[in-house]
Amino acid sequence: MKDKLSAKDYPIAETRPEQVLGRRKKPLDSLTLEAVIDGEVEIEDFRITPQALLQQAEIARSVGRAALASNLERASEMTKIPQSEVMEVYELLRPGRAQSQKELLDVAQRIRSRYEAVLLAEFIQEAADFYHKRGLFRKRY
Amino acid sequence: MSDNYDANRWKRFDDWDARSLRLDKFAVEDPENGFSAFHGAADPKPMLSLKGGLVTAMDNVAAADFDMIDAFIANYHIDLEIAEEAMAIPSGQLARMLVDMNVPRTELTRLARGLTPAKLAETVAQLNAMEIAFAYSKMRARQSPGNQAHVTNAKDDPLQLAADAAIAVALGFDEIETTMRVARNSWSNALACCVGSAVGRAGTLFQCSSEEAEELEIGMAGFTSYAETISVYGTESAFIDGDDTPWSKAWLAAAYASRGIKMRCTSGAAAELLMGFHEAKSLLYLEARCLCLQRGMGSQGTQNGGIDGAPLASSMPGGVREIMAENLIAVWLDLECASGNDARHSESDMRVAAKILPYLIGGSDLICSGLGSILKYDNSFNPSSFNGEELEEFLVLQRDFEADGGLTTVEDARALSLRRRAIDALSHVLKDLGLAEATEMMKRSVAVASGSNDTQSFTPRDVALISEKISGNDVTVLDVIKSLHRGGFIEESENLLFLVKLRVSGDYLQTSAVVRNNKVISAINDPNDYTGPGTGHRLTEARRHELANIRDVLDREEVLRAEAVSEMGEKKSIRYQIMGLADPGTDTDEIVVGVSPGFGLKIFRTLAGHRLSAVLRALKAGIERGGGAMRVVRFWHTADTSFLGLSAARLSGSGIGIGIQSKGTAIIHQKDRLPHNNLELFSNAPVTALEHYEQMGFNATVYAKRLLPNPIVVPTKGEALGARFHARVALTYAIETSMIEDNASPENLKLTFLEQSA
């Protein structure tokens, strides 16, 4: 098992630029102005990867910021989810949007199976439990 | 002046009523109704019970009764490995650890992970304002302080946004934030600020505060690099009323990170009170809940410290101390803190300045969140503590205290050229991408405008169309980069590309990250390591020099230059001829006027701006009106008013003399008096008028007749004359004193007035 990253590896764009890749595996130093002008790179190439988020999570955890690390790990899973679906789940997590616990649990199941998003699925399940407990499945508008 | 003495109250109260302070409304402490900074009627006592790796009760609420906030804090904030140890430490001891420079920051942030909201609140509440400020300075996460600007305008005019963003960058802001008057203008505002912030240097982070989904989309299109609109609240009802839950907000937090966008939450005192769901809890306790929640969500930071609730918090006793205390909890929880000081909490400039001071001298990740870099009426968030109007005051405060508030003076020629560059760059992009066409007149009006009242630019309808096209045509930041490049704005295209590339590595997702000199610095590679004097953030000599370098500073050369200009005028007005050494006179009508060494030789005008020839002419007229005769003598042995006056009196046949310095300070003296026991003194040269000098000449003749005149009163309006003049006085006086020769004899001067008019 390789060593986990820590504060000494930060910022990774400076300490290991060759390993920092965009979403389509283009390394950082290939994302040049010329490449943009020539249309060789697209906005997709500037999207953060799940790997980079996990590396940042390791660094955060190494300096005692486990909560931040967990968020970055959830984010890492979320990179796979399309924007519209990210916003759709967000909307459902707002108070009174989902009309039942089952509605949220179904979403959790879908997120888990479609995107292998274990952490996010657990997170939604947990929300569903508390929303149920606190009576949040009530109509707001 | 009114002659009505029948008023039934002291008129000083009328004066006080007229001050801007009295526009502020103050509220009584009323803990039952949520009006308490530190001691809510329903604040719980801190406690924590654990069983089988679960929290069974926290702050007097059993797990079965947890509301969503309790539950989220118990699940995500409370670190079970630390909780027992941390909760066992008495809050008084924790409070002392916070102000003990020998207890490292990291030990305290470790313990905070095991502390409940009530325990955090109980601890910081024991600190007085100074201790809170000190602890804040010690506990804040990143060593280098920074600042954030608001860039908005009342018309949502993109040209002005670009120009003002470029200025904010030049001033040194690490982050700029915009928002709109009209919601649908968000894309236009984002593109305009994005282009403007690429002028001058790379790396200023930018956010466009708008509706959640749209804000994220704008971020994904690459126009923005951070967000801070994820608001959280300290009561469940307020949270739900805000149309979110801890889980929905945490989802959003992950969403931003998943798109490589820096994010912080927002919370601040009195939000729950404003929303009507305070649960009779104190501002501080509710904020402690908000902040634990934010840490639990995995937010790297918080915008905290009253924020929109600052004016309400400040209406209560201890409200401002509470705002400082909640900021302390934020940094104790190891969160980046954009420490408020934005929504102006008072109409009183003094209250505003007093509130900023601890943050300025102690530093903060973002001292203001943000500082209105535009004029008050252009601030679409509402006026900030400091705005375009008061920005130079902030620069001067930095200089006064040698404290880095993150800003640097922008020289005026540079300001205009940056504005023009930003306007040209944006105009090109708008035209090139088929969004709009700016006329020369629009561009010129915006370049010089201080605020949107002075511009003739795009109409609100134009802006709505621009915004619609940007979003409708799926314009991304790469289109803007290419367009800038096509237009020859190469540096700007590179700067913008630099910013977009930051998101690939995610380095700026770490706590307290900003960009300085093209490098990401954060609490990881620039941690606050304060452990006492000589440690922590210190000004470098270069930065100290930058802070000192404000506009319009006086030096000796400047004084001499100004005098050289006056000298030419004086040469046409008066001629001084030396008529040999001055001996004591015998004529009892004689009034000797003793002038200082530099009088009419190096210095030519009084501080009030009167030519020295005019002053002498006035003295002469007064003396002659009283039937006396003026003899002017230059002294070389002193430049001090008292000794000039006394020396003149001793030479004067009447025994009465007038001493006058080049700067206009004048005195009437009598030969037998002690040096500092003069007859009359004009000590406030800047407000002394020519008629006062005339009257002084006249009064001297009255004293010469052994009579008592009405002493001349030079009225002041309470001006801070020292502030206005002492720098120049000191420089002028040093020029005079450098001309002094010990034991040199006085010389008679013959005056020839060359012009009739003064």
Side-chain angles (χ1 to χ4, degrees):
Chain A
M1 202 179 106
K2 72 178 171 64
D3 288 341
K4 294 214 182 286
L5 299 193
S6 67
K8 68 177 176 359
D9 301 299
Y10 179 88
I12 60 175
E14 289 171 30
T15 64
R16 47 183 65 206
E18 70 290 346
Q19 291 179 36
V20 177
L21 307 176
R23 191 59 71 89
R24 297 191 309 175
K25 306 284 181 234
K26 284 197 189 345
L28 210 47
D29 61 9
S30 71
L31 304 178
T32 61
L33 189 55
E34 292 68 40
V36 172
I37 307 303
D38 298 343
E40 286 166 19
V41 296
E42 294 166 18
I43 195 82
E44 194 67 12
D45 294 305
F46 293 90
R47 285 189 60 185
I48 194 164
T49 58
Q51 295 76 18
L53 283 160
L54 292 176
Q55 287 182 328
Q56 295 296 350
E58 285 177 14
I59 292 169
R61 201 162 255 123
S62 80
V63 290
R65 298 191 179 110
L68 172 58
S70 297
N71 182 43
L72 296 172
E73 285 157 0
R74 285 192 290 274
S76 157
E77 290 187 352
M78 210 181 274
T79 54
K80 298 169 200 155
I81 308 179
Q83 183 68 3
S84 57
E85 206 167 340
V86 167
M87 294 319 291
E88 183 194 321
V89 178
Y90 168 61
E91 185 62 19
L92 271 177
L93 282 170
R94 297 177 99 165
R97 302 305 201 279
Q99 296 300 311
S100 69
Q101 191 174 6
K102 182 170 180 307
E103 201 177 337
L104 277 184
L105 291 175
D106 289 347
V107 170
Q109 183 52 39
R110 189 182 79 207
I111 295 287
R112 187 196 304 270
S113 57
R114 198 181 289 172
Y115 306 106
E116 294 167 354
V118 183
L119 300 172
L120 291 174
E122 278 173 13
F123 189 78
I124 297 168
Q125 274 170 357
E126 182 191 73
D129 291 346
F130 277 104
Y131 288 12
H132 177 65
K133 210 154 122 192
R134 301 299 293 176
L136 247 64
F137 298 113
R138 57 174 186 246
K139 212 172 175 66
R140 276 174 57 81
Y141 63 87
Chain B
M1 210 189 322
S2 155
D3 286 336
N4 177 8
Y5 300 133
D6 300 328
N8 60 1
R9 75 167 185 172
W10 186 27
K11 287 180 186 167
R12 180 72 55 77
F13 283 96
D14 296 347
D15 299 339
W16 285 336
D17 282 347
R19 289 187 63 80
S20 55
L21 171 71
R22 280 288 135 196
L23 295 168
D24 292 358
K25 282 289 165 282
F26 299 94
V28 295
E29 199 156 51
D30 181 2
E32 291 293 338
N33 288 302
F35 279 77
S36 175
F38 289 92
H39 305 288
D43 283 359
K45 282 263 164 271
M47 57 77 69
L48 187 72
S49 318
L50 306 173
K51 198 173 173 187
L54 286 175
V55 175
T56 53
M58 183 178 74
D59 293 344
N60 265 350
V61 181
D65 300 324
F66 278 174
D67 66 16
M68 290 194 304
I69 297 169
D70 297 318
F72 201 94
I73 290 171
N75 277 9
Y76 291 95
H77 160 65
I78 298 290
D79 184 334
L80 297 174
E81 285 180 21
I82 293 161
E84 231 159 337
E85 173 198 354
M87 288 298 287
I89 304 173
S91 59
Q93 189 180 331
L94 287 169
R96 282 190 294 278
M97 289 166 76
L98 281 169
V99 292
D100 183 347
M101 68 182 115
N102 299 309
V103 178
R105 172 181 190 277
T106 45
E107 172 58 8
L108 282 154
T109 53
R110 186 185 73 84
L111 291 171
R113 301 201 289 270
L115 297 175
T116 66
K119 184 86 169 189
L120 290 161
E122 185 182 86
T123 301
V124 299
Q126 294 175 50
L127 303 177
N128 67 26
M130 186 187 70
E131 290 160 346
I132 294 170
F134 174 76
Y136 183 80
S137 183
K138 167 185 157 180
M139 292 303 298
R140 61 194 180 75
R142 191 186 63 237
Q143 186 131 295
S144 311
N147 218 330
Q148 182 195 105
H150 287 164
V151 176
T152 62
N153 65 66
K155 297 175 178 170
D156 287 340
D157 172 23
L159 296 181
Q160 192 188 337
L161 287 168
D164 287 340
I167 292 292
V169 169
L171 284 165
F173 287 102
D174 293 299
E175 295 183 348
I176 60 180
E177 178 183 22
T178 194
T179 195
M180 304 69 62
R181 294 291 158 117
V182 181
R184 64 172 173 269
N185 293 345
S186 55
W187 289 87
S188 168
N189 275 38
L191 185 142
C193 286
C194 173
V195 170
S197 68
V199 174
R201 76 178 150 87
T204 305
L205 304 181
F206 164 59
Q207 72 154 328
C208 179
S209 174
S210 41
E211 186 270 326
E212 282 89 349
E214 191 158 62
E215 184 161 345
L216 196 48
E217 273 170 36
I218 291 171
M220 286 198 62
F223 293 121
T224 54
S225 35
Y226 81 101
E228 66 180 6
T229 46
I230 306 198
S231 314
V232 310
Y233 305 96
T235 65
E236 190 179 75
S237 307
F239 223 121
I240 292 171
D241 206 52
D243 207 16
D244 269 296
T245 75
W247 281 269
S248 68
K249 286 294 193 189
W251 182 268
L252 216 44
Y256 277 106
S258 75
R259 270 58 186 164
I261 298 168
K262 175 181 172 176
M263 185 281 306
R264 70 173 71 91
C265 291
T266 290
S267 71
E272 299 82 3
L273 186 57
L274 271 175
M275 295 167 81
F277 299 106
H278 54 75
E279 297 179 359
K281 285 162 183 157
S282 66
L283 305 185
L284 184 66
Y285 170 66
L286 292 181
E287 265 317 296
R289 281 163 66 86
C290 289
L291 290 162
C292 289
L293 196 60
Q294 293 172 46
R295 197 188 86 75
M297 282 162 57
S299 175
Q300 63 81 29
T302 181
Q303 171 182 230
N304 170 265
I307 315 303
D308 291 342
L312 179 54
S314 306
S315 76
M316 297 174 209
V320 174
R321 181 168 80 96
E322 190 285 331
I323 288 172
M324 295 167 67
E326 67 185 54
N327 281 157
L328 174 57
I329 293 179
V331 294
W332 188 10
L333 287 168
D334 203 16
L335 296 168
E336 175 199 54
C337 187
S339 45
N341 296 309
D342 46 0
R344 196 177 171 87
H345 77 298
S346 173
E347 289 286 10
S348 156
D349 287 345
M350 280 204 198
R351 288 187 83 200
V352 169
K355 182 170 179 285
I356 199 79
L357 189 63
Y359 298 92
L360 177 67
I361 62 179
S364 187
D365 288 324
L366 287 314
I367 291 175
C368 300
S369 59
L371 189 154
S373 70
I374 65 289
L375 295 180
K376 284 191 186 101
Y377 69 78
D378 268 336
N379 197 327
S380 304
F381 293 99
N382 278 330
S384 288
S385 294
F386 285 77
N387 302 279
E389 289 91 335
E390 300 99 356
L391 209 137
E392 287 205 317
E393 265 113 315
F394 192 91
L395 296 172
V396 171
L397 288 174
Q398 292 188 129
R399 184 180 190 264
D400 287 344
F401 292 94
E402 297 196 322
D404 193 345
L407 304 193
T408 304
T409 296
V410 182
E411 189 261 325
D412 61 4
R414 180 153 173 267
L416 192 58
S417 78
L418 285 168
R419 293 181 69 81
R420 288 188 175 135
R421 178 84 181 170
I423 291 165
D424 287 344
L426 181 68
S427 301
H428 162 75
V429 170
L430 291 177
K431 186 177 176 192
D432 187 49
L433 297 181
L435 301 168
E437 201 151 334
T439 66
E440 276 310 303
M441 195 267 296
M442 287 158 77
K443 294 200 260 183
R444 284 171 48 211
S445 84
V446 173
V448 295
S450 180
S452 63
N453 285 350
D454 307 335
T455 63
Q456 296 189 49
S457 192
F458 291 111
T459 66
R461 186 171 177 280
D462 297 335
V463 178
L465 292 174
I466 292 170
S467 199
E468 235 165 66
K469 280 189 201 165
I470 297 169
S471 115
N473 298 350
D474 293 326
V475 176
T476 73
V477 73
L478 293 191
D479 299 316
V480 175
I481 291 171
K482 288 183 212 169
S483 174
L484 284 168
H485 192 266
R486 274 196 295 279
F489 297 93
I490 313 297
E491 192 188 322
E492 287 75 11
S493 62
E494 276 166 355
N495 288 348
L496 211 44
L497 180 66
F498 171 86
L499 204 62
V500 185
K501 274 172 79 167
L502 288 180
R503 60 179 64 192
V504 183
S505 67
D507 286 321
Y508 75 164
L509 302 178
Q510 297 288 356
T511 303
S512 305
V514 291
V515 181
R516 294 276 173 88
N517 303 317
N518 294 325
K519 306 245 184 223
V520 175
I521 60 166
S522 71
I524 294 179
N525 59 350
D526 183 30
N528 182 8
D529 63 3
Y530 183 83
T531 51
T535 66
H537 174 69
R538 302 282 146 173
L539 286 185
T540 62
E541 196 46 38
R543 181 61 180 145
R544 203 189 79 84
H545 184 74
E546 269 183 359
L547 296 183
N549 192 21
I550 57 167
R551 193 163 62 95
D552 270 352
V553 289
L554 199 61
D555 61 13
R556 191 169 183 274
E557 282 62 44
E558 174 65 34
V559 169
L560 288 172
R561 250 195 315 277
E563 291 306 325
V565 174
S566 303
E567 182 178 10
M568 294 193 278
E570 280 292 80
K571 278 196 170 143
K572 290 181 210 152
S573 305
I574 190 167
R575 190 181 310 139
Y576 303 93
Q577 279 172 276
I578 302 166
M579 305 301 286
L581 296 183
D583 293 320
T586 51
D587 179 356
T588 55
D589 292 335
E590 177 182 75
I591 304 293
V592 169
V593 173
V595 302
S596 56
F599 195 103
L601 292 178
K602 286 270 173 67
I603 308 294
F604 303 92
R605 287 195 329 167
T606 71
L607 292 175
H610 306 304
R611 291 174 173 190
L612 295 185
S613 59
V615 171
L616 288 171
R617 201 191 287 265
L619 285 168
K620 181 168 186 276
I623 290 168
E624 288 173 359
R625 178 159 67 88
M630 176 170 84
R631 173 159 66 116
V632 178
V633 171
R634 181 186 305 283
F635 291 104
W636 291 101
H637 72 289
T638 184
D640 177 86
T641 332
S642 293
F643 289 99
L644 287 171
L646 187 56
S647 303
R650 288 189 172 172
L651 286 180
S652 179
S654 66
I656 300 296
I658 292 174
I660 183 163
Q661 295 176 310
S662 313
K663 64 188 169 70
T665 307
I667 200 166
I668 308 179
H669 229 307
Q670 197 271 335
K671 69 178 172 58
D672 300 322
R673 298 178 80 87
L674 290 170
H676 302 292
N677 193 11
N678 55 64
L679 293 170
E680 290 191 39
L681 170 67
F682 292 171
S683 59
N684 282 332
V687 291
T688 308
L690 289 176
E691 55 264 34
H692 298 127
Y693 290 109
E694 198 274 350
Q695 189 64 37
M696 178 175 252
F698 178 81
N699 277 11
T701 65
V702 179
Y703 291 115
K705 293 171 192 141
R706 306 278 188 271
L707 299 173
L708 184 65
N710 267 330
I712 310 131
V713 177
V714 177
T716 86
K717 298 181 189 126
E719 301 98 328
L721 294 173
R724 296 184 191 199
F725 292 99
H726 274 176
R728 194 173 136 202
V729 166
L731 288 164
T732 308
Y733 195 55
I735 292 166
E736 293 239 76
T737 54
S738 70
M739 297 170 76
I740 291 172
E741 293 171 36
D742 286 346
N743 300 319
S745 302
E747 295 165 342
N748 281 323
L749 294 181
K750 182 184 168 202
L751 309 185
T752 311
F753 294 106
L754 303 174
E755 286 172 7
Q756 274 313 300
S757 70

